[in-house]
Amino acid sequence: MRCPLVESVQESGARVLAVIVLYKMLPQDSVSFQTLEAAKKHSPPGKVAIKTFFYDNTPGGQPSAQYPEESSHESSGENNGLSVAYNRALEIASEAGFDWLLTLDQDTSLPFDFLTNLSNTLAFVAPLSQVAAVVPQVSDNGRVISPAALSYNLFPKFFPAEFIGISLERTSAVNSASAVRVSALKAIGGYDPRFWLDYSDAVMYHRLHCNNFRIFIAGNIRVEHELSVLDLEQRVTLERYEDILGAESAFWDECMGRVGHLALFLRFSYRLVYKFWRTGASLPYFKISLRYFCMRLFFSRKRRTEAWERSSQRRFVSHG
């Protein structure tokens, strides 16, 4: 399918395609869309050429949805998660000549000066081809959740709020509000469809690192985003929690090696001993964590990976 954005991309400033993934939400109700539009009004003319592409994962679609002019949209009719949506946006961005892909979910709150600061940063890193992404500081209710460097491949080390510059360490960030260079994404093959929802960002940033790309940390851009795992019982169903743990286990097995295996073992130990046992968290979540803890003790890496791939495929089909 040819996208209308192919015909309308401007040539001035940084060329950015913003992709907003919807799920059971109308475009006009999306906080990401609302705050992006507000940021456009505060952006100096000629600094950035930005178009919006909506990818709707709502099962059965939303026939009554009304999309803004000069945007484009597609409806999958099923829940394809994030990787499929972002890969489709990457395909459009490449065909239309966009330089950057701005990935957004539906409920990320962008500051009014987001595009002003982002466009200045994109102009600075444009000639630095090894810089594959520009990422803001992302917080959930005041708690910094992204970006982070992995210290000795074990534990995340968050950057100071005032840090602005290129990270020389292995660095990862959440998908939402990241601006990723289209050519770099194409070089690593886009997003891994196996990680169709959870850890799609972690795998993508890992592959950028393995291909010697760098990440620019834009500490002057502050973004609010709700991270579901910070409040399990209010934000995460049991099925969803199992999906998260399965993808987490697969990511650390595949991307982080033996040191990663030790790191994840320690993480599971912390969750079981402190987060669940000492805080009196819900028993069903404790049981799921205990099962994955035992799998790391008694299953081989190959067996864990095969079990995750089968489970992930079943989940993907059922969600679709």
Side-chain angles (χ1 to χ4, degrees), residues 16-319:
V16 179
L17 178 62
V19 51
I20 300 177
V21 183
L22 301 173
Y23 180 72
K24 297 183 178 180
M25 179 179 288
L26 295 173
Q28 61 269 26
D29 295 332
S30 165
V31 173
S32 294
F33 171 66
Q34 294 168 0
T35 54
L36 179 62
E37 289 299 294
K40 286 181 182 179
K41 295 177 181 178
H42 288 85
S43 177
K47 297 275 290 186
V48 60
I50 184 166
K51 298 292 181 180
T52 305
F53 169 62
F54 293 92
Y55 191 94
D56 191 356
N57 272 329
T58 304
Q62 301 186 91
S64 62
Q66 296 182 350
Y67 294 90
E69 295 182 4
E70 298 188 0
S71 70
S72 183
H73 68 276
E74 291 183 15
S75 177
S76 64
E78 56 190 16
N79 187 4
N80 283 333
L82 294 177
S83 291
V84 171
Y86 291 158
N87 280 335
R88 176 58 182 144
L90 174 61
E91 181 183 359
I92 293 172
S94 178
E95 183 181 358
F98 289 93
D99 304 309
W100 300 88
L101 188 66
L102 176 63
T103 53
L104 293 164
D105 61 15
Q106 62 190 16
D107 56 6
T108 296
S109 181
L110 305 173
F112 75 93
D113 58 353
F114 176 79
L115 288 179
T116 300
N117 290 327
L118 179 64
S119 61
N120 290 335
T121 305
L122 295 183
F124 174 76
V125 302
L128 307 176
S129 59
Q130 285 305 108
V131 174
V134 173
V135 300
Q137 184 184 81
V138 183
S139 301
D140 182 353
N141 290 322
R143 176 177 175 178
V144 176
I145 58 174
S146 175
L150 291 176
S151 181
Y152 302 104
N153 288 351
L154 287 174
F155 305 105
K157 180 179 67 176
F158 295 103
F159 291 86
E162 66 277 6
F163 183 87
I164 301 175
I166 299 173
S167 171
L168 300 180
E169 302 175 82
R170 178 196 292 265
T171 301
S172 186
V174 297
N175 278 318
S176 203
S178 289
V180 190
R181 196 185 294 265
V182 170
S183 58
L185 264 180
K186 290 178 63 179
I188 64 170
Y191 292 81
D192 190 332
R194 295 176 306 148
F195 293 85
W196 62 283
L197 184 58
D198 303 299
Y199 279 79
S200 59
D201 41 19
V203 173
M204 187 272 289
Y205 280 105
H206 167 75
R207 292 183 177 177
L208 288 176
H209 173 79
C210 291
N211 283 271
N212 298 314
F213 286 110
R214 298 295 184 187
I215 309 302
F216 188 95
I217 312 300
N220 59 323
I221 305 177
R222 311 289 176 82
V223 170
E224 281 294 322
H225 174 74
E226 188 178 89
L227 190 64
S228 57
V229 294
L230 294 185
D231 187 357
L232 289 181
E233 296 192 36
Q234 296 298 320
R235 304 179 186 175
V236 183
T237 65
L238 291 174
E239 181 185 49
R240 185 81 178 81
Y241 185 56
E242 183 139 7
D243 288 344
I244 293 170
L245 292 194
E248 177 186 41
S249 181
F251 165 74
W252 285 84
D253 275 339
E254 184 169 310
C255 301
M256 306 305 288
R258 292 186 176 181
V259 176
H261 171 74
L262 173 61
L264 190 55
F265 183 84
L266 294 175
R267 286 188 178 199
F268 275 119
S269 300
Y270 165 78
R271 289 171 190 162
L272 290 170
V273 174
Y274 180 80
K275 192 170 184 179
F276 288 111
W277 185 260
R278 293 193 61 184
T279 61
S282 176
L283 182 60
Y285 293 94
F286 175 85
K287 288 181 176 179
I288 294 173
S289 291
L290 180 61
R291 176 153 49 84
Y292 277 92
F293 177 80
C294 292
M295 287 174 65
R296 302 210 71 81
L297 278 177
F298 304 115
F299 286 13
S300 67
R301 174 183 170 183
K302 179 181 178 181
R303 186 177 176 185
R304 288 195 302 267
T305 300
E306 289 175 347
W308 168 73
E309 288 180 343
R310 290 193 302 269
S311 174
S312 181
Q313 185 61 32
R314 287 195 301 269
R315 297 279 192 196
F316 181 81
V317 172
S318 66
H319 282 295

Side-chain angles (χ1 to χ4, degrees), residues 2-13:
R2 189 172 180 81
C3 175
L5 297 180
V6 173
E7 310 296 342
S8 60
V9 62
Q10 302 175 28
E11 294 298 327
S12 60

